[in-house]
């Protein structure tokens, strides 16, 4: 609702509102934005909880363990620094990892522990409001969702009563490296109206350098916020009757009309370009019955699911290595792969390539023993 103009009475304001509505001049109201969040961020209770949350699973860092033991003192000091404006982000540490089956080169930027505590304090307040607007089948970096939810839903759609004939896959070229900060801030302003809260986000974005820094806790949420308009456009405007799932910047659509999928592709490319993002030219639109659907390390067919061949070879190789040297690292890798294989038709792979090469019982014992030693060290 429009605000009362200066020197305008309530009766005059109400008459103007009725006149604009009758003429059709009144615009559609913007979605409600949330305010008064900065006070929640800088509260002592939130900073202490964020400090404890930040140190979770950091049992190899003595400094993190010390902060966890003195979380009340550290969190109180952090709240005071945020209130007084003394918090200034420090320079991050950067290293390179080769990720995934294809060994993609990824630059990981790790902020200091103090900055991580601030990030958790901000995100603890923001995440509940983002989850209310989140698309149901947006599964990337979402608590309680992840790859498992996406795989189960695709399997359900592939063997459902409705026979979807075509699929479409899109993604964004170097999404994290190329995502503009201004686009992130524009989307945040659509949801929040607290200027001091938005200023904190701007400071965090500036501290990341170019794009969204992999290694920063807020980066994954910023990525989801930027792509939420794509979810709304597909399901509410472009193709409401399609089956659609998104895992970060990877998008998959199932539909019976190939022409409509091509039209949606053009619309998505236009939306991405308006956000300052570059669509990946390696998009795919094809018939499901020809080669199935390759998505999230799986190949989906009607009624059954297989693991991708590169991952299959990698699992078989790791089983041989773990059988010769059942270290905690190799044991965790094998158990992680077993979790992946449970969600597809992999009986032959497990019985011929995995179980004869490595003992699953031994891997579980190694992991349990290491966890027990780590917990004892943490208590001491």
């Amino acid at each position: 609702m429009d605000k009362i103009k200066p020197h305008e009475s309530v009766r005059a304001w109400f008459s103007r509102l009725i006149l604009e509505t009758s003429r059709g001049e009144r615009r559609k109201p913007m979605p409600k934005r949330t305010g008064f969040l900065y006070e929640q961020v800088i509260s002592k209770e939130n900073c202490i909880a964020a400090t404890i949350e930040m140190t979770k699973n950091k049992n190899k860092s003595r400094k993190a363990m010390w902060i966890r033991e003195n979380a009340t003192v550290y969190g109180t000091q952090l709240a005071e620094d945020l209130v007084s404006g003394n918090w200034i982000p420090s320079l991050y540490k950067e290293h390179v990892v080769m990720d995934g089956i294809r060994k993609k080169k990824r630059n990981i930027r790790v902020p200091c522990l103090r900055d991580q505590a601030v990030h958790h304090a901000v995100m603890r307040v923001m995440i509940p409001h983002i989850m209310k607007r989140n698309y149901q089948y947006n599964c990337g970096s979402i608590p309680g969702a992840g790859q498992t939810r996406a795989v189960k839903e695709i399997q359900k759609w592939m063997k459902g009563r409705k026979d979807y004939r075509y699929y479409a896959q899109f993604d964004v070229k170097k999404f994290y490296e190329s995502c503009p900060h201004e686009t992130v801030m524009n989307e945040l302003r659509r949801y929040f109206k607290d200027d001091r809260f938005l200023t904190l986000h701007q400071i965090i974005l500036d501290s990341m350098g170019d794009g969204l820094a992999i290694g920063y806790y807020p980066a994954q949420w910023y990525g989801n916020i930027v792509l939420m308009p794509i979810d709304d456009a597909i399901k509410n405007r472009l193709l409401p009757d399609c089956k659609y799932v998104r895992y970060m910047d990877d998008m998959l659509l199932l539909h019976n009309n190939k022409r409509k999928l091509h039209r949606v592709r053009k619309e998505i490319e236009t939306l991405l370009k308006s956000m300052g993002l570059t669509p990946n030219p390696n998009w795919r639109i094809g018939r499901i019955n020809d080669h199935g659907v390759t998505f999230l390390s799986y190949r989906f067919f009607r009624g059954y699911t297989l693991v991708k061949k590169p991952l299959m070879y990698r699992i078989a190789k790791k089983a041989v290595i773990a059988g010769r040297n059942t270290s905690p690292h190799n044991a965790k890798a094998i158990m992680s792969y077993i979790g992946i294989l449970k969600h597809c038709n992999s009986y032959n792979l497990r019985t011929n390539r995995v179980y004869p090469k490595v003992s699953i019982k031994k891997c579980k014992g190694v992991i349990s023993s290491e966890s027990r030693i780590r917990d004892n060290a943490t208590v001491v």
Side-chain angles (χ1 to χ4, degrees):
M1 185 175 291
D2 291 343
K3 294 183 179 180
I4 301 177
K5 295 181 179 180
H7 311 294
E8 184 180 29
S9 64
V10 176
R11 180 176 295 181
W13 165 78
F14 190 73
S15 301
R16 177 172 59 84
L17 185 63
I18 295 176
L19 182 62
E20 290 176 355
T21 305
S22 61
R23 292 178 178 176
E25 297 175 358
R26 185 165 175 76
R27 295 175 297 178
K28 294 182 179 180
M30 292 291 291
K32 290 185 178 180
R33 299 186 299 162
T34 309
F36 303 103
L37 297 178
Y38 183 76
E39 291 77 7
Q40 300 179 32
V41 173
I42 63 176
S43 66
K44 179 181 174 180
E45 295 77 10
N46 182 60
C47 290
I48 294 174
T51 301
I52 298 173
E53 185 179 290
M54 178 269 298
T55 59
K56 187 178 180 181
N57 298 328
K58 290 185 173 67
N59 297 322
K60 294 183 180 180
S61 172
R62 292 185 178 181
K63 185 176 181 181
M65 293 169 62
W66 179 87
I67 292 174
R68 185 189 307 155
E69 294 172 359
N70 302 274
T72 303
V73 178
Y74 192 87
T76 304
Q77 182 62 44
L78 184 65
E80 294 175 357
D81 291 343
L82 288 174
V83 171
S84 60
N86 293 332
W87 173 69
I88 299 176
S90 303
L91 292 176
Y92 53 79
K93 295 181 180 180
E94 188 171 6
H95 62 274
V96 179
V97 299
M98 308 305 291
D99 182 39
I101 301 174
R102 299 181 181 178
K103 300 295 183 181
K104 291 184 179 180
K105 182 180 178 181
R106 298 191 185 277
N107 296 320
I108 308 298
R109 302 170 187 173
V110 182
C112 67
L113 293 177
R114 185 166 179 264
D115 291 351
Q116 291 182 39
V118 175
H119 298 168
H120 279 268
V122 175
M123 301 309 295
R124 279 175 54 84
V125 175
M126 188 187 79
I127 288 175
H129 300 282
I130 295 299
M131 290 297 293
K132 294 178 183 178
R133 300 170 170 86
N134 182 53
Y135 171 58
Q136 181 181 2
Y137 299 125
N138 167 29
C139 302
S141 301
I142 299 297
Q147 180 173 322
T148 302
R149 178 190 287 182
V151 170
K152 287 183 178 180
E153 292 302 325
I154 296 173
Q155 290 173 340
K156 188 188 302 181
W157 298 336
M158 294 289 283
K159 63 181 180 181
R161 292 183 178 180
K162 190 169 183 179
D163 188 13
Y164 293 99
R165 293 185 294 172
Y166 300 100
Y167 73 93
Q169 284 183 261
F170 320 110
D171 63 342
V172 183
K173 185 176 181 180
K174 296 183 178 179
F175 173 62
Y176 279 95
E177 293 86 348
S178 63
C179 186
H181 292 178
E182 186 59 32
T183 302
V184 178
M185 291 304 302
N186 289 338
E187 294 302 319
L188 287 172
R189 293 188 190 102
R190 291 180 57 198
Y191 303 137
F192 308 108
K193 57 184 178 181
D194 191 328
D195 291 337
R196 293 180 295 178
F197 182 71
L198 293 171
T199 302
L200 272 178
H201 285 288
Q202 185 66 65
I203 294 173
I204 294 173
L205 283 168
D206 293 340
S207 67
M208 291 184 181
D210 296 333
L212 300 178
I214 301 176
Y216 274 64
Y217 176 50
Q220 56 194 3
W221 287 100
Y222 290 155
N224 275 321
I225 290 171
V226 168
L227 295 177
M228 277 182 182
I230 301 294
D231 302 338
D232 295 338
I234 291 175
K235 292 302 295 181
N236 297 330
R237 182 168 57 87
L238 299 178
L239 205 60
D241 57 338
C242 75
K243 293 297 184 182
Y244 167 62
V245 62
R246 177 168 66 83
Y247 191 87
M248 289 311 298
D249 62 316
D250 294 328
M251 294 166 270
L252 174 67
L253 290 84
L254 304 180
H255 200 261
N256 285 323
N257 194 314
K258 192 174 182 180
R259 291 183 179 180
K260 289 184 178 180
L261 290 176
H262 278 285
R263 187 194 66 193
V264 170
R265 175 187 63 82
K266 295 179 181 179
E267 293 286 347
I268 291 176
E269 289 182 349
T270 303
L271 285 172
L272 291 175
K273 290 178 181 178
S274 67
M275 297 177 182
L277 300 171
T278 304
N280 198 324
N282 298 328
W283 52 268
R284 291 194 297 271
I285 295 179
R287 189 186 296 270
I288 294 176
N289 289 339
D290 291 345
H291 305 287
V293 179
T294 303
F295 192 68
L296 297 179
S297 300
Y298 293 97
R299 296 180 64 197
F300 299 92
F301 298 89
R302 299 196 187 279
Y304 66 99
T305 306
L306 302 177
V307 70
K308 290 173 63 176
K309 280 189 176 181
L311 182 58
M312 179 186 69
Y313 295 141
R314 188 175 183 181
I315 293 172
K317 183 179 179 180
K318 178 60 74 172
V320 174
I321 295 173
R324 296 173 181 173
N325 178 22
T326 314
S327 64
H329 175 76
N330 291 334
K332 291 178 181 178
I334 286 296
M335 296 311 300
S336 176
Y337 287 141
I338 292 297
I340 292 175
L341 295 178
K342 284 182 178 179
H343 298 289
C344 65
N345 301 89
S346 60
Y347 177 79
N348 292 335
L349 175 60
R350 284 180 285 164
T351 55
N352 298 332
R353 298 290 188 92
V354 179
Y355 295 154
K357 305 296 182 180
V358 61
S359 172
I360 303 301
K361 184 177 180 180
K362 185 177 179 180
C363 290
K364 291 181 179 179
V366 170
I367 296 172
S368 177
S369 176
E370 190 212 15
S371 177
R372 194 181 305 112
I373 294 172
R374 185 177 64 243
D375 293 342
N376 292 336
T378 304
V379 172
V380 173

